[in-house]
Amino acid sequence: MKTTSFIAAAASIALPHVRAQLRKVNYPQPVRVLEEDDGKRGLMHTEEHTVVFDECVGKHTTACEGMIQEAVSNHPEMFEGMTALDYEVLNVRTIGDIGYFNVGLRTNQEETHVAGILGDGMVFYPFDWCASANDCYAIGPWDCHLGSPLTVDQCCNVIKSDVTDPDVNGNMIHCVASPPMGSASKPIDHGRVIIHRDANNIVQYPPRNE
């Protein structure tokens, strides 16, 4: 079993910070929930062929990996018969990161246009923009679906036309394309679990094998 830890380029996207419990999304197949024996809320649920480990949120990364391994060992049929999964551990974004000035542009599956993290063309930036130590303000969100989805370059031009001043460090706003899972740049791998953690190794979002 392999554990990979790095800061992903896709971390430049502002993800809504929520501690998800069980949730149902519109997938071709119904969501299945695996309940714990003591009747507590489910450890995980499935979205089509992807398993989402809801109970990992708020847990230490090591504890989360143990919970996932237990689930895999007890229910290999949910993991295509695999007995162990690889872990890709990503650090959630902070203002101190290199490239903090990047705005992540989630593209569509074809990687041609901006879809937005919520699928509505809206693009978010997670931090205030500080022109000086005493002059910080929120920027965004930006609508990159102006009648029809904009390309990455078109969307970036919208953002740059809105944020025209450098920040306190002399950096200008910048854009980074972030293809979604299942695209050519990010093929789905059900043998891999992606875990997002903070600086204290606490899981921030429900891990998924994708």
Side-chain angles (χ1 to χ4, degrees):
M1 179 173 55
K2 177 179 64 177
T3 300
T4 303
S5 176
F6 59 94
I7 299 176
S12 59
I13 287 184
L15 296 172
H17 191 100
V18 294
R19 291 196 168 186
Q21 297 184 10
L22 297 179
R23 64 208 191 291
K24 187 172 183 178
V25 296
N26 294 322
Y27 275 78
Q29 298 182 12
V31 171
R32 292 189 296 144
V33 177
L34 177 65
E35 297 291 347
E36 297 176 342
D37 293 337
D38 59 6
K40 293 188 294 185
R41 65 189 177 94
L43 165 66
M44 61 188 184
H45 72 273
T46 63
E47 297 173 356
E48 196 168 13
H49 299 296
T50 296
V51 180
V52 185
F53 299 91
D54 303 274
E55 280 295 315
C56 272
V57 177
K59 302 291 195 305
H60 192 278
T61 303
T62 302
C64 174
E65 291 179 1
M67 295 166 65
I68 293 172
Q69 181 55 54
E70 182 179 2
V72 174
S73 297
N74 292 339
H75 300 276
E77 73 280 0
M78 297 182 69
F79 302 93
E80 303 174 4
M82 290 179 282
T83 57
L85 304 177
D86 292 334
Y87 299 105
E88 189 170 300
V89 182
L90 311 179
N91 297 323
V92 295
R93 192 176 187 190
T94 70
I95 190 62
D97 292 342
I98 297 174
Y100 68 88
F101 48 84
N102 289 328
V103 179
L105 305 182
R106 175 58 55 82
T107 70
N108 56 6
Q109 290 287 338
E110 295 75 23
E111 305 183 36
T112 57
H113 294 79
V114 175
I117 193 68
L118 301 177
D120 58 359
M122 298 302 294
V123 175
F124 302 86
Y125 180 75
F127 312 121
D128 284 347
W129 190 255
C130 294
S132 68
N134 299 316
D135 183 17
C136 296
Y137 48 90
I139 59 174
W142 302 275
D143 187 356
C144 286
H145 194 292
L146 303 177
S148 61
L150 302 183
T151 66
V152 170
D153 287 342
Q154 289 171 335
C155 180
C156 192
N157 287 336
V158 169
I159 294 169
K160 289 183 175 180
S161 66
D162 181 48
V163 185
T164 58
D165 296 324
D167 73 354
V168 65
N169 298 314
N171 291 312
M172 302 297 294
I173 201 74
H174 187 64
C175 306
V176 176
S178 177
M181 296 303 301
S183 62
S185 296
K186 290 186 179 179
I188 289 177
D189 178 2
H190 291 302
R192 168 192 62 197
V193 177
I194 299 176
I195 300 175
H196 293 86
R197 67 178 180 189
D198 66 10
N200 296 313
N201 270 319
I202 302 301
V203 178
Q204 299 297 298
Y205 307 109
R208 308 161 68 95
N209 69 321
E210 61 182 8

